[in-house]
Amino acid sequence: MNLARQIEQYLPQPLLALVKDISGQAAKQRERVYLVGGVVRDLLLGYPNFDLDLVVEGDAVRLAQRVAETGQARLLAHHRFGTAKLRYENFILDLATARKETYARPGALPAVTPGTLKDDLIRRDFSINAMAISLAPNDYGELIDTHQGRTDLEHRLIRILHPGSFTDDATRILRAVCYEQRFGFKFETQTARLLKRGIPMLDTISGDRIRHELEHIFEEKRPELVIKRLGDLGALHRIHSSLAGDGWIAEKFDKARRHKKPAQLPPLYFCFLVYSFSENELGQFLTRLNLPAKLSRIMRDTLHLKTSLRLLDRPSLKHSEIHCLLREYQPLAIQANAMATESPTARRSLQLFLTKLRYVRTSLDGEELKKLGISAGPEMGKVLERLHKAKLDGEVRTRADEKKLALSLSPKL
Ligand code: ATP
């Protein structure tokens, strides 16, 4: 099957010109370049996807170096992995040397050696991701589909390429569910059986790799569908015994998406995932996934604040009291609780802090207090704190009000 016409219609012209140039340069060295993976699948499905992965039968890094020298691309090369990234003004292209993989033991990262396109395709997760399109001038547009990917796309099936696939790499269980939910596909019968049987193999996967796949899931349009399905299959439970993909999580994920910017979503999703955890369970989860310090802090704060929410459930709280209760918490932890709490009063206080109170500053600073004769040190600290409180509670409004209060507070004056 030749897809030359489809490629020309599918890719934006400037991107098309780039890949043709790369393929032309490769051909001069008798190397061949292919489009592979998600873009081929999405082109056949008619979904837009301009994250191009190119596989080179030859030396991808050397090819990328030559391209970068002659074009306007910035090059990021990983010699050890035989991969390179070309960053253009509007596009990024990933080039990889065709490779062969062997797994020394389940869950381990594979040993990699250079190989042919066929070797590169058979190491992939599912048939729908194991197709390539030749960009070589002599058979430009030819579909290479050695694993019935196109038939599986037509039948809307997720199929592994060999029976040991989930044992070799159990992250494919998470990936399979991701594609199943994204496209509304079904697991092919043997794949479904082996996936269920392979769930205990998630124990063999490092925290970093599980985290990476969760982050991948959190980029989905509706990650709650994937989380729910992983919960039903028992895969979440295998990652941590208290993880569940229940309706509460689905509702909160959806709420977060309606209100928050995309960059804030993954940390919020992580917080909702563990919202029912005890501190101890959270500690185990953070260790299991080797989560980065900043995100760990947000998640810890979320659970800690959850246990203090009853203190915010009083309509009579002064603004300075709300500020005092919340100022040590990470804003995203406060946000997670504002979305999670059932109490409208607590939610109002949390939102008030996020939108207003945390930005309140006194007009006078240390320098100006010095000019008023207040000496630096604990005394000044107390005056500033009192001014801040007064400003939060609306007791002072103008600079003059603040000056008056500062002078009245300083016993020396
Ligand atoms: P999409 O989620 O749309 O497929 P993507 O291109 O970002 O987007 P990646 O996770 O980057 O997906 O994977 C790129 C390709 O690498 C996949 O199409 C698949 O062929 C292959 N791949 C990724 N992870 C694995 C894995 N664990 N085992 C085998 N092949 C994999």
Side-chain angles (χ1 to χ4, degrees):
M1 182 186 199
N2 192 289
L3 297 168
R5 196 172 46 83
Q6 284 89 331
I7 303 176
E8 308 278 320
Q9 287 169 354
Y10 181 78
L11 294 183
Q13 275 309 315
L15 185 56
L16 190 63
L18 288 177
V19 293
K20 281 185 168 171
D21 174 48
I22 293 174
S23 173
Q25 297 217 32
K28 286 185 201 153
Q29 308 290 323
R30 295 171 181 276
E31 295 182 332
R32 297 177 61 88
V33 178
Y34 303 88
L35 271 181
V36 287
V39 63
V40 180
R41 175 199 69 213
D42 289 345
L43 182 144
L44 288 167
L45 285 172
Y47 291 1
N49 179 352
F50 306 127
D51 285 337
L52 302 198
D53 286 314
L54 304 176
V55 158
V56 183
E57 275 183 329
D59 185 335
V61 174
R62 245 192 9 230
L63 172 62
Q65 279 166 340
R66 283 200 304 274
V67 173
E69 276 161 22
T70 53
Q72 284 105 37
R74 286 228 319 270
L75 171 73
L76 192 73
H78 289 287
H79 290 272
R80 227 181 89 213
F81 301 112
T83 61
K85 215 178 249 309
L86 286 171
R87 203 179 282 273
Y88 295 86
E89 198 181 337
N90 297 318
F91 305 105
I92 295 176
L93 295 176
D94 282 300
L95 283 76
T97 304
R99 63 205 243 186
K100 195 174 181 168
E101 287 182 349
T102 42
Y103 288 83
R105 62 182 161 77
L109 285 175
V112 175
T113 45
T116 60
L117 175 74
K118 270 195 178 163
D119 295 325
D120 200 280
L121 293 181
I122 201 167
R123 75 180 177 85
R124 288 175 185 262
D125 45 6
F126 310 112
S127 62
I128 58 167
N129 284 342
M131 291 179 276
I133 299 176
S134 172
L135 297 173
N138 66 337
D139 61 355
Y140 177 77
E142 211 48 44
L143 178 72
I144 296 104
D145 180 15
T146 35
H147 302 280
Q148 306 172 44
R150 198 163 64 95
T151 315
D152 286 339
L153 269 187
E154 275 163 17
H155 293 123
R156 307 171 66 78
L157 287 177
I158 312 285
R159 179 199 301 272
I160 44 174
L161 305 190
H162 58 91
S165 184
F166 291 126
T167 312
D168 280 347
D169 178 356
T171 63
R172 292 171 186 162
I173 293 169
L174 310 181
R175 297 177 62 81
V177 174
C178 201
Y179 293 118
E180 177 202 35
Q181 296 302 313
R182 185 194 303 172
F183 297 124
F185 284 12
K186 297 258 173 294
F187 297 139
E188 168 276 330
T189 316
Q190 196 199 17
T191 301
R193 193 166 48 76
L194 292 172
L195 183 146
K196 285 180 193 148
R197 202 201 280 172
I199 282 172
M201 299 309 286
L202 283 166
D203 294 355
T204 64
I205 304 297
S206 72
D208 286 335
R209 296 192 65 216
I210 300 249
R211 186 187 71 239
H212 178 75
E213 290 306 332
L214 279 180
E215 287 164 353
H216 194 227
I217 291 168
F218 287 166
E219 283 167 18
E220 291 295 305
K221 276 209 178 94
R222 297 193 61 199
E224 61 273 21
L225 299 181
V226 184
I227 295 295
K228 163 100 178 46
R229 177 80 161 123
L230 287 171
D232 293 346
L233 287 164
L236 286 187
H237 193 69
R238 199 78 206 183
I239 295 171
H240 188 282
S241 56
S242 304
L243 273 184
D246 53 25
W248 186 89
I249 286 186
E251 187 201 319
K252 298 306 165 197
F253 274 32
D254 187 48
K255 195 168 177 182
R257 244 184 345 263
R258 275 184 280 125
H259 294 288
K260 287 292 130 197
K261 298 191 190 107
Q264 294 175 331
L265 289 176
L268 283 174
Y269 290 155
F270 269 112
C271 291
F272 294 137
L273 210 54
V274 300
Y275 200 71
S276 62
F277 279 25
S278 68
E279 267 187 44
N280 196 18
E281 288 168 333
L282 177 64
Q284 293 163 354
F285 183 77
L286 298 178
T287 310
R288 172 68 180 104
L289 266 67
N290 193 23
L291 287 175
K294 171 93 196 210
L295 178 58
S296 300
R297 161 102 200 267
I298 294 171
M299 291 165 79
R300 281 213 174 86
D301 277 8
T302 300
L303 292 203
H304 195 265
L305 177 55
K306 182 183 82 170
T307 60
S308 313
L309 279 182
R310 69 201 145 68
L311 300 175
L312 288 157
D313 200 7
R314 288 178 290 154
S316 57
L317 277 182
K318 285 187 185 177
H319 286 184
S320 59
E321 289 171 319
I322 297 173
H323 189 275
C324 184
L325 285 167
L326 296 177
R327 66 181 168 201
E328 298 298 334
Y329 291 107
Q330 291 285 310
L332 275 173
I334 300 174
Q335 187 62 67
N337 276 285
M339 290 179 168
T341 180
E342 297 299 323
S343 151
T345 311
R347 188 180 316 122
R348 262 196 305 277
S349 296
L350 294 162
Q351 293 293 14
L352 181 66
F353 178 84
L354 286 173
T355 52
K356 265 189 161 164
L357 304 185
R358 67 174 162 144
Y359 302 113
V360 170
R361 303 277 180 272
T362 55
S363 308
L364 299 185
D365 60 13
E367 281 309 308
E368 282 158 303
L369 290 183
K370 266 194 216 161
K371 285 183 204 152
L372 293 178
I374 300 170
S375 48
E379 184 199 356
M380 183 180 289
K382 276 190 196 141
V383 172
L384 279 171
E385 198 178 316
R386 183 66 191 86
L387 284 181
H388 188 225
K389 252 183 170 176
K391 182 110 183 205
L392 282 164
D393 292 335
E395 293 164 8
V396 294
R397 291 186 194 284
T398 61
R399 254 180 113 73
D401 292 345
E402 285 188 27
K403 264 190 186 169
K404 211 158 117 192
L405 178 60
L407 290 170
S408 76
L409 287 172
S410 174
K412 280 190 194 157
L413 297 169

